[in-house]
Structures are given as C-alpha cells and as structure tokens.
Amino acid sequence: MNWPTITIVTPSFNQGRFLKETLDSVAAQRYPALEHIVIDGGSTDESVAIIEQHAGALAYWVSERDRGQSHAINKGFARATGDVLTWLNSDDTLLPGALSAVGAAFGARPDVDLIYGNFVYTDPGGTPMRTRHVFASMSYETLLYHDYLGQPAVFFRRSLLDRVGPVDESLHYCMD
C-alpha cells in the first residue's frame, strides 16, 4: 500500500505529567509515513527534558513562548508536510493501530477529506471512563451540540486545511 504521510502536531505547555505517554503512544504506532511535530509553549516543568528524550522520533520540535494552544497548532501545521493532518494534545493518546487504520481509510477513499473514529475518555490515571462510538451518519444538530467528534480521533487532508484556513487563534479551548 502507498501510505499517505500523516502529520501529527502536539501542542504542549507544562504538560510533563502526561507528555511522555502521549509521545510514546505516537511512536508505538510504527506507522511508515509519520511526521510528528511538537510545539511547546516554553514549559517550565519537565516537558523539555521529555521532548528531548523523544527527539529521535520527532520530525521537529521547539520550546518557545507562543500565543496559546491554537497558535501552537497553527505553527505546527505551517511546518507540516503530510497529506493528512491532525493535532494530538499533550494529554491525549492514540490507541494501538490508529494510524494504520487512518492511513488505510484515506488510501482507500481519495474522495474523502475528513475521517473520525471511536474514542475513549480516560481519567488522569488512564482508566477508561466511557467510550464514544461513531455513527454511520449524524445530523448537523448532533454534530454541533453533542460533541460526537472527539478531536484526537479526527484526521483531515491538507487540502481541507488549505480550503478552510488555520485554527482560529482567538479561540483557546474550543477551537476544535
């Protein structure tokens, strides 16, 4: 199979408590065409040391002040070279095999610009609290009011980002 390049941008700021697990979950994917970019906002905790330990698995990383999470995501997207994009926050993880499923889905459906999948909410210790399963179809109201697209389970083509533009930097917590 001709795997599409997937770029994951991880924005982070003082998330050392969770960051290692996030970076490990991406590295464990063993996806053959992965570009992982970490944009750290100048953390003062152990985040930079954790990023440095994972630097060999990263296409790029930086730790410098930014204007918040949305700005960090946009900085990462500006560096991204992948055909498929997403961001994975520094307190989220990918389940095993996630990127292979995403790559296969985009490879099989060149007409599709965005895909999403099931996701699991966990507590800070990693214990699953509930699973959200995707629907075959949903109404606009369901999409808008019921949070059925878990951002870590949403992937989209670069062409979609080119059409709609970057993340709105005036939004700091609900930009997804």
mmCIF file of all heavy atoms in Angstrom, residues 3-9 26 29 31-37 59 77 80-87 94 97-107 115 154-158:
data_model
loop_
_atom_site.group_PDB
_atom_site.id
_atom_site.type_symbol
_atom_site.label_atom_id
_atom_site.label_comp_id
_atom_site.label_asym_id
_atom_site.label_seq_id
_atom_site.Cartn_x
_atom_site.Cartn_y
_atom_site.Cartn_z
ATOM 1 N N TRP A 3 1.158 4.380 1.617
ATOM 2 C CA TRP A 3 0.648 5.045 2.811
ATOM 3 C C TRP A 3 0.750 6.556 2.684
ATOM 4 O O TRP A 3 1.818 7.082 2.369
ATOM 5 C CB TRP A 3 1.437 4.601 4.041
ATOM 6 C CG TRP A 3 1.289 3.153 4.357
ATOM 7 C CD1 TRP A 3 2.175 2.166 4.055
ATOM 8 C CD2 TRP A 3 0.196 2.529 5.031
ATOM 9 N NE1 TRP A 3 1.693 0.961 4.507
ATOM 10 C CE2 TRP A 3 0.482 1.150 5.106
ATOM 11 C CE3 TRP A 3 -0.995 2.998 5.572
ATOM 12 C CZ2 TRP A 3 -0.375 0.245 5.708
ATOM 13 C CZ3 TRP A 3 -1.843 2.093 6.170
ATOM 14 C CH2 TRP A 3 -1.536 0.736 6.236
ATOM 15 N N PRO A 4 -0.331 7.285 2.955
ATOM 16 C CA PRO A 4 -0.223 8.749 2.964
ATOM 17 C C PRO A 4 0.587 9.193 4.182
ATOM 18 O O PRO A 4 0.541 8.567 5.239
ATOM 19 C CB PRO A 4 -1.676 9.214 3.088
ATOM 20 C CG PRO A 4 -2.399 8.083 3.733
ATOM 21 C CD PRO A 4 -1.685 6.828 3.291
ATOM 22 N N THR A 5 1.340 10.266 4.011
ATOM 23 C CA THR A 5 2.077 10.815 5.151
ATOM 24 C C THR A 5 1.082 11.478 6.092
ATOM 25 O O THR A 5 0.273 12.300 5.666
ATOM 26 C CB THR A 5 3.134 11.828 4.686
ATOM 27 O OG1 THR A 5 4.050 11.158 3.813
ATOM 28 C CG2 THR A 5 3.892 12.408 5.870
ATOM 29 N N ILE A 6 1.157 11.103 7.350
ATOM 30 C CA ILE A 6 0.306 11.688 8.389
ATOM 31 C C ILE A 6 1.174 12.576 9.265
ATOM 32 O O ILE A 6 2.183 12.126 9.802
ATOM 33 C CB ILE A 6 -0.372 10.605 9.245
ATOM 34 C CG1 ILE A 6 -1.290 9.727 8.394
ATOM 35 C CG2 ILE A 6 -1.152 11.250 10.401
ATOM 36 C CD1 ILE A 6 -1.888 8.541 9.153
ATOM 37 N N THR A 7 0.774 13.833 9.388
ATOM 38 C CA THR A 7 1.451 14.750 10.295
ATOM 39 C C THR A 7 0.587 14.929 11.534
ATOM 40 O O THR A 7 -0.593 15.260 11.436
ATOM 41 C CB THR A 7 1.683 16.128 9.647
ATOM 42 O OG1 THR A 7 2.516 15.979 8.509
ATOM 43 C CG2 THR A 7 2.340 17.085 10.646
ATOM 44 N N ILE A 8 1.204 14.707 12.687
ATOM 45 C CA ILE A 8 0.559 14.959 13.976
ATOM 46 C C ILE A 8 1.283 16.125 14.628
ATOM 47 O O ILE A 8 2.509 16.095 14.779
ATOM 48 C CB ILE A 8 0.637 13.730 14.900
ATOM 49 C CG1 ILE A 8 -0.106 12.552 14.286
ATOM 50 C CG2 ILE A 8 0.093 14.070 16.294
ATOM 51 C CD1 ILE A 8 0.051 11.253 15.066
ATOM 52 N N VAL A 9 0.539 17.145 14.988
ATOM 53 C CA VAL A 9 1.085 18.282 15.732
ATOM 54 C C VAL A 9 0.644 18.122 17.178
ATOM 55 O O VAL A 9 -0.552 17.969 17.458
ATOM 56 C CB VAL A 9 0.586 19.621 15.159
ATOM 57 C CG1 VAL A 9 1.033 20.786 16.043
ATOM 58 C CG2 VAL A 9 1.066 19.799 13.727
ATOM 59 N N VAL A 26 2.305 7.782 20.175
ATOM 60 C CA VAL A 26 2.526 8.072 18.763
ATOM 61 C C VAL A 26 3.673 7.212 18.226
ATOM 62 O O VAL A 26 3.547 6.577 17.173
ATOM 63 C CB VAL A 26 2.799 9.570 18.534
ATOM 64 C CG1 VAL A 26 3.159 9.840 17.076
ATOM 65 C CG2 VAL A 26 1.583 10.399 18.949
ATOM 66 N N GLN A 29 2.987 3.592 17.301
ATOM 67 C CA GLN A 29 2.159 3.311 16.121
ATOM 68 C C GLN A 29 2.943 2.591 15.034
ATOM 69 O O GLN A 29 2.367 1.843 14.257
ATOM 70 C CB GLN A 29 1.575 4.611 15.552
ATOM 71 C CG GLN A 29 0.627 5.328 16.478
ATOM 72 C CD GLN A 29 -0.663 4.578 16.673
ATOM 73 O OE1 GLN A 29 -1.313 4.178 15.710
ATOM 74 N NE2 GLN A 29 -1.038 4.373 17.928
ATOM 75 N N TYR A 31 3.859 3.622 12.320
ATOM 76 C CA TYR A 31 3.291 3.970 11.028
ATOM 77 C C TYR A 31 4.435 4.342 10.082
ATOM 78 O O TYR A 31 5.316 5.123 10.452
ATOM 79 C CB TYR A 31 2.298 5.129 11.186
ATOM 80 C CG TYR A 31 1.582 5.479 9.923
ATOM 81 C CD1 TYR A 31 0.561 4.670 9.441
ATOM 82 C CD2 TYR A 31 1.943 6.592 9.183
ATOM 83 C CE1 TYR A 31 -0.099 4.982 8.258
ATOM 84 C CE2 TYR A 31 1.291 6.912 8.003
ATOM 85 C CZ TYR A 31 0.277 6.097 7.541
ATOM 86 O OH TYR A 31 -0.367 6.393 6.372
ATOM 87 N N PRO A 32 4.448 3.815 8.863
ATOM 88 C CA PRO A 32 5.610 4.007 7.987
ATOM 89 C C PRO A 32 5.786 5.403 7.411
ATOM 90 O O PRO A 32 6.861 5.712 6.888
ATOM 91 C CB PRO A 32 5.361 2.996 6.858
ATOM 92 C CG PRO A 32 3.889 2.797 6.836
ATOM 93 C CD PRO A 32 3.436 2.941 8.264
ATOM 94 N N ALA A 33 4.789 6.254 7.475
ATOM 95 C CA ALA A 33 4.883 7.594 6.883
ATOM 96 C C ALA A 33 4.375 8.629 7.877
ATOM 97 O O ALA A 33 3.397 9.329 7.631
ATOM 98 C CB ALA A 33 4.090 7.641 5.574
ATOM 99 N N LEU A 34 5.065 8.733 8.991
ATOM 100 C CA LEU A 34 4.640 9.599 10.090
ATOM 101 C C LEU A 34 5.567 10.792 10.226
ATOM 102 O O LEU A 34 6.792 10.654 10.187
ATOM 103 C CB LEU A 34 4.634 8.816 11.407
ATOM 104 C CG LEU A 34 4.382 9.623 12.686
ATOM 105 C CD1 LEU A 34 2.994 10.247 12.674
ATOM 106 C CD2 LEU A 34 4.561 8.731 13.902
ATOM 107 N N GLU A 35 4.976 11.955 10.414
ATOM 108 C CA GLU A 35 5.701 13.165 10.752
ATOM 109 C C GLU A 35 5.082 13.686 12.052
ATOM 110 O O GLU A 35 3.915 14.062 12.065
ATOM 111 C CB GLU A 35 5.551 14.193 9.632
ATOM 112 C CG GLU A 35 6.218 15.520 9.932
ATOM 113 C CD GLU A 35 6.014 16.519 8.811
ATOM 114 O OE1 GLU A 35 4.843 16.845 8.504
ATOM 115 O OE2 GLU A 35 7.030 16.963 8.242
ATOM 116 N N HIS A 36 5.859 13.682 13.133
ATOM 117 C CA HIS A 36 5.357 14.149 14.421
ATOM 118 C C HIS A 36 6.094 15.433 14.787
ATOM 119 O O HIS A 36 7.324 15.469 14.846
ATOM 120 C CB HIS A 36 5.552 13.083 15.493
ATOM 121 C CG HIS A 36 4.816 13.368 16.756
ATOM 122 N ND1 HIS A 36 4.930 12.578 17.870
ATOM 123 C CD2 HIS A 36 3.949 14.355 17.113
ATOM 124 C CE1 HIS A 36 4.167 13.062 18.836
ATOM 125 N NE2 HIS A 36 3.574 14.148 18.398
ATOM 126 N N ILE A 37 5.327 16.488 15.046
ATOM 127 C CA ILE A 37 5.848 17.803 15.373
ATOM 128 C C ILE A 37 5.335 18.189 16.758
ATOM 129 O O ILE A 37 4.139 18.082 17.016
ATOM 130 C CB ILE A 37 5.373 18.838 14.327
ATOM 131 C CG1 ILE A 37 5.951 18.495 12.948
ATOM 132 C CG2 ILE A 37 5.723 20.263 14.754
ATOM 133 C CD1 ILE A 37 5.371 19.315 11.809
ATOM 134 N N ALA A 59 9.911 14.807 13.932
ATOM 135 C CA ALA A 59 10.380 15.494 12.736
ATOM 136 C C ALA A 59 10.880 16.895 13.093
ATOM 137 O O ALA A 59 11.788 17.420 12.458
ATOM 138 C CB ALA A 59 9.254 15.583 11.710
ATOM 139 N N PHE A 77 1.176 23.188 11.934
ATOM 140 C CA PHE A 77 0.614 22.982 10.597
ATOM 141 C C PHE A 77 1.433 23.721 9.535
ATOM 142 O O PHE A 77 1.567 23.253 8.407
ATOM 143 C CB PHE A 77 -0.850 23.414 10.532
ATOM 144 C CG PHE A 77 -1.815 22.460 11.188
ATOM 145 C CD1 PHE A 77 -3.092 22.880 11.507
ATOM 146 C CD2 PHE A 77 -1.473 21.151 11.484
ATOM 147 C CE1 PHE A 77 -4.008 22.022 12.097
ATOM 148 C CE2 PHE A 77 -2.370 20.277 12.085
ATOM 149 C CZ PHE A 77 -3.647 20.715 12.389
ATOM 150 N N ALA A 80 4.167 21.442 8.677
ATOM 151 C CA ALA A 80 3.740 20.096 8.280
ATOM 152 C C ALA A 80 3.926 19.862 6.786
ATOM 153 O O ALA A 80 3.657 20.745 5.968
ATOM 154 C CB ALA A 80 2.274 19.896 8.654
ATOM 155 N N THR A 81 4.351 18.648 6.453
ATOM 156 C CA THR A 81 4.480 18.247 5.050
ATOM 157 C C THR A 81 3.533 17.105 4.703
ATOM 158 O O THR A 81 3.501 16.659 3.561
ATOM 159 C CB THR A 81 5.923 17.818 4.726
ATOM 160 O OG1 THR A 81 6.243 16.652 5.490
ATOM 161 C CG2 THR A 81 6.914 18.935 5.020
ATOM 162 N N GLY A 82 2.765 16.637 5.662
ATOM 163 C CA GLY A 82 1.910 15.476 5.444
ATOM 164 C C GLY A 82 0.710 15.740 4.564
ATOM 165 O O GLY A 82 0.252 16.876 4.424
ATOM 166 N N ASP A 83 0.207 14.649 3.992
ATOM 167 C CA ASP A 83 -1.023 14.677 3.196
ATOM 168 C C ASP A 83 -2.247 14.702 4.094
ATOM 169 O O ASP A 83 -3.307 15.184 3.713
ATOM 170 C CB ASP A 83 -1.109 13.426 2.311
ATOM 171 C CG ASP A 83 0.153 13.208 1.505
ATOM 172 O OD1 ASP A 83 0.573 14.156 0.818
ATOM 173 O OD2 ASP A 83 0.720 12.108 1.573
ATOM 174 N N VAL A 84 -2.099 14.111 5.289
ATOM 175 C CA VAL A 84 -3.172 14.001 6.277
ATOM 176 C C VAL A 84 -2.672 14.673 7.548
ATOM 177 O O VAL A 84 -1.525 14.482 7.955
ATOM 178 C CB VAL A 84 -3.526 12.520 6.545
ATOM 179 C CG1 VAL A 84 -4.540 12.389 7.663
ATOM 180 C CG2 VAL A 84 -4.030 11.854 5.257
ATOM 181 N N LEU A 85 -3.540 15.462 8.185
ATOM 182 C CA LEU A 85 -3.146 16.231 9.356
ATOM 183 C C LEU A 85 -4.077 15.968 10.536
ATOM 184 O O LEU A 85 -5.246 15.628 10.352
ATOM 185 C CB LEU A 85 -3.195 17.731 9.042
ATOM 186 C CG LEU A 85 -2.430 18.228 7.834
ATOM 187 C CD1 LEU A 85 -2.755 19.697 7.577
ATOM 188 C CD2 LEU A 85 -0.948 18.034 8.013
ATOM 189 N N THR A 86 -3.544 16.180 11.720
ATOM 190 C CA THR A 86 -4.325 16.220 12.950
ATOM 191 C C THR A 86 -3.477 16.880 14.009
ATOM 192 O O THR A 86 -2.288 17.137 13.812
ATOM 193 C CB THR A 86 -4.763 14.817 13.411
ATOM 194 O OG1 THR A 86 -5.767 14.951 14.432
ATOM 195 C CG2 THR A 86 -3.600 14.008 13.966
ATOM 196 N N TRP A 87 -4.089 17.157 15.137
ATOM 197 C CA TRP A 87 -3.290 17.505 16.308
ATOM 198 C C TRP A 87 -3.703 16.588 17.429
ATOM 199 O O TRP A 87 -4.831 16.112 17.504
ATOM 200 C CB TRP A 87 -3.387 18.974 16.688
ATOM 201 C CG TRP A 87 -4.659 19.472 17.287
ATOM 202 C CD1 TRP A 87 -5.006 19.462 18.612
ATOM 203 C CD2 TRP A 87 -5.755 20.096 16.604
ATOM 204 N NE1 TRP A 87 -6.240 20.042 18.781
ATOM 205 C CE2 TRP A 87 -6.725 20.439 17.552
ATOM 206 C CE3 TRP A 87 -6.010 20.402 15.264
ATOM 207 C CZ2 TRP A 87 -7.916 21.066 17.226
ATOM 208 C CZ3 TRP A 87 -7.199 21.020 14.935
ATOM 209 C CH2 TRP A 87 -8.131 21.346 15.908
ATOM 210 N N LEU A 94 -3.020 7.952 21.398
ATOM 211 C CA LEU A 94 -3.598 7.172 20.307
ATOM 212 C C LEU A 94 -3.637 5.708 20.717
ATOM 213 O O LEU A 94 -2.681 5.196 21.316
ATOM 214 C CB LEU A 94 -2.743 7.298 19.040
ATOM 215 C CG LEU A 94 -2.678 8.674 18.395
ATOM 216 C CD1 LEU A 94 -1.691 8.662 17.226
ATOM 217 C CD2 LEU A 94 -4.053 9.126 17.931
ATOM 218 N N GLY A 97 -2.617 0.883 16.617
ATOM 219 C CA GLY A 97 -3.160 0.668 15.282
ATOM 220 C C GLY A 97 -3.958 1.819 14.709
ATOM 221 O O GLY A 97 -4.438 1.733 13.580
ATOM 222 N N ALA A 98 -4.100 2.904 15.454
ATOM 223 C CA ALA A 98 -4.930 4.024 14.994
ATOM 224 C C ALA A 98 -4.430 4.589 13.667
ATOM 225 O O ALA A 98 -5.217 4.793 12.737
ATOM 226 C CB ALA A 98 -4.983 5.118 16.054
ATOM 227 N N LEU A 99 -3.132 4.848 13.557
ATOM 228 C CA LEU A 99 -2.625 5.475 12.342
ATOM 229 C C LEU A 99 -2.695 4.548 11.136
ATOM 230 O O LEU A 99 -2.935 5.007 10.013
ATOM 231 C CB LEU A 99 -1.205 5.996 12.544
ATOM 232 C CG LEU A 99 -1.065 7.124 13.569
ATOM 233 C CD1 LEU A 99 0.370 7.632 13.591
ATOM 234 C CD2 LEU A 99 -2.046 8.252 13.311
ATOM 235 N N SER A 100 -2.526 3.262 11.337
ATOM 236 C CA SER A 100 -2.677 2.318 10.221
ATOM 237 C C SER A 100 -4.111 2.335 9.700
ATOM 238 O O SER A 100 -4.345 2.302 8.487
ATOM 239 C CB SER A 100 -2.291 0.903 10.649
ATOM 240 O OG SER A 100 -0.901 0.844 10.889
ATOM 241 N N ALA A 101 -5.073 2.397 10.610
ATOM 242 C CA ALA A 101 -6.478 2.466 10.197
ATOM 243 C C ALA A 101 -6.760 3.772 9.458
ATOM 244 O O ALA A 101 -7.453 3.785 8.430
ATOM 245 C CB ALA A 101 -7.391 2.331 11.412
ATOM 246 N N VAL A 102 -6.210 4.869 9.949
ATOM 247 C CA VAL A 102 -6.406 6.168 9.310
ATOM 248 C C VAL A 102 -5.765 6.176 7.928
ATOM 249 O O VAL A 102 -6.382 6.589 6.936
ATOM 250 C CB VAL A 102 -5.826 7.304 10.189
ATOM 251 C CG1 VAL A 102 -5.742 8.615 9.426
ATOM 252 C CG2 VAL A 102 -6.654 7.460 11.453
ATOM 253 N N GLY A 103 -4.533 5.722 7.832
ATOM 254 C CA GLY A 103 -3.839 5.694 6.549
ATOM 255 C C GLY A 103 -4.557 4.823 5.532
ATOM 256 O O GLY A 103 -4.692 5.198 4.363
ATOM 257 N N ALA A 104 -5.037 3.654 5.969
ATOM 258 C CA ALA A 104 -5.769 2.756 5.071
ATOM 259 C C ALA A 104 -7.073 3.394 4.607
ATOM 260 O O ALA A 104 -7.440 3.285 3.430
ATOM 261 C CB ALA A 104 -6.033 1.423 5.764
ATOM 262 N N ALA A 105 -7.771 4.069 5.509
ATOM 263 C CA ALA A 105 -9.043 4.701 5.146
ATOM 264 C C ALA A 105 -8.830 5.806 4.115
ATOM 265 O O ALA A 105 -9.550 5.884 3.118
ATOM 266 C CB ALA A 105 -9.729 5.256 6.392
ATOM 267 N N PHE A 106 -7.835 6.653 4.333
ATOM 268 C CA PHE A 106 -7.575 7.715 3.359
ATOM 269 C C PHE A 106 -7.049 7.144 2.045
ATOM 270 O O PHE A 106 -7.372 7.647 0.968
ATOM 271 C CB PHE A 106 -6.607 8.758 3.921
ATOM 272 C CG PHE A 106 -7.271 9.808 4.762
ATOM 273 C CD1 PHE A 106 -7.046 9.875 6.126
ATOM 274 C CD2 PHE A 106 -8.118 10.740 4.192
ATOM 275 C CE1 PHE A 106 -7.646 10.849 6.903
ATOM 276 C CE2 PHE A 106 -8.737 11.723 4.962
ATOM 277 C CZ PHE A 106 -8.499 11.774 6.320
ATOM 278 N N GLY A 107 -6.246 6.086 2.117
ATOM 279 C CA GLY A 107 -5.745 5.463 0.907
ATOM 280 C C GLY A 107 -6.856 4.859 0.057
ATOM 281 O O GLY A 107 -6.816 4.912 -1.174
ATOM 282 N N ILE A 115 -11.940 12.148 8.252
ATOM 283 C CA ILE A 115 -12.459 10.932 8.869
ATOM 284 C C ILE A 115 -12.353 11.081 10.381
ATOM 285 O O ILE A 115 -11.569 11.874 10.898
ATOM 286 C CB ILE A 115 -11.735 9.648 8.412
ATOM 287 C CG1 ILE A 115 -10.273 9.643 8.850
ATOM 288 C CG2 ILE A 115 -11.858 9.453 6.911
ATOM 289 C CD1 ILE A 115 -9.608 8.314 8.686
ATOM 290 N N VAL A 154 -9.956 12.728 15.016
ATOM 291 C CA VAL A 154 -10.316 13.405 13.770
ATOM 292 C C VAL A 154 -9.038 13.654 12.961
ATOM 293 O O VAL A 154 -8.063 14.200 13.475
ATOM 294 C CB VAL A 154 -11.031 14.743 14.042
ATOM 295 C CG1 VAL A 154 -11.278 15.504 12.748
ATOM 296 C CG2 VAL A 154 -12.331 14.512 14.794
ATOM 297 N N PHE A 155 -9.076 13.253 11.698
ATOM 298 C CA PHE A 155 -7.954 13.421 10.778
ATOM 299 C C PHE A 155 -8.502 14.013 9.481
ATOM 300 O O PHE A 155 -9.598 13.662 9.063
ATOM 301 C CB PHE A 155 -7.289 12.074 10.487
ATOM 302 C CG PHE A 155 -6.651 11.455 11.692
ATOM 303 C CD1 PHE A 155 -7.419 10.796 12.646
ATOM 304 C CD2 PHE A 155 -5.283 11.531 11.883
ATOM 305 C CE1 PHE A 155 -6.837 10.227 13.767
ATOM 306 C CE2 PHE A 155 -4.694 10.967 13.003
ATOM 307 C CZ PHE A 155 -5.469 10.313 13.950
ATOM 308 N N PHE A 156 -7.740 14.884 8.832
ATOM 309 C CA PHE A 156 -8.231 15.540 7.629
ATOM 310 C C PHE A 156 -7.092 15.751 6.641
ATOM 311 O O PHE A 156 -5.918 15.792 7.009
ATOM 312 C CB PHE A 156 -8.912 16.871 7.969
ATOM 313 C CG PHE A 156 -8.087 17.778 8.834
ATOM 314 C CD1 PHE A 156 -7.258 18.738 8.271
ATOM 315 C CD2 PHE A 156 -8.138 17.665 10.224
ATOM 316 C CE1 PHE A 156 -6.497 19.568 9.075
ATOM 317 C CE2 PHE A 156 -7.381 18.499 11.029
ATOM 318 C CZ PHE A 156 -6.546 19.454 10.448
ATOM 319 N N ARG A 157 -7.466 15.883 5.403
ATOM 320 C CA ARG A 157 -6.486 16.116 4.349
ATOM 321 C C ARG A 157 -5.983 17.555 4.398
ATOM 322 O O ARG A 157 -6.706 18.475 4.769
ATOM 323 C CB ARG A 157 -7.106 15.854 2.977
ATOM 324 C CG ARG A 157 -7.430 14.396 2.745
ATOM 325 C CD ARG A 157 -7.760 14.128 1.284
ATOM 326 N NE ARG A 157 -8.331 12.809 1.123
ATOM 327 C CZ ARG A 157 -7.624 11.683 0.998
ATOM 328 N NH1 ARG A 157 -6.308 11.748 1.000
ATOM 329 N NH2 ARG A 157 -8.240 10.527 0.861
ATOM 330 N N ARG A 158 -4.741 17.718 3.991
ATOM 331 C CA ARG A 158 -4.141 19.049 3.918
ATOM 332 C C ARG A 158 -4.999 19.969 3.046
ATOM 333 O O ARG A 158 -5.158 21.154 3.331
ATOM 334 C CB ARG A 158 -2.742 18.966 3.338
ATOM 335 C CG ARG A 158 -2.165 20.318 2.949
ATOM 336 C CD ARG A 158 -0.787 20.232 2.376
ATOM 337 N NE ARG A 158 0.141 19.790 3.382
ATOM 338 C CZ ARG A 158 0.584 20.544 4.400
ATOM 339 N NH1 ARG A 158 0.158 21.778 4.527
ATOM 340 N NH2 ARG A 158 1.435 20.073 5.268
#
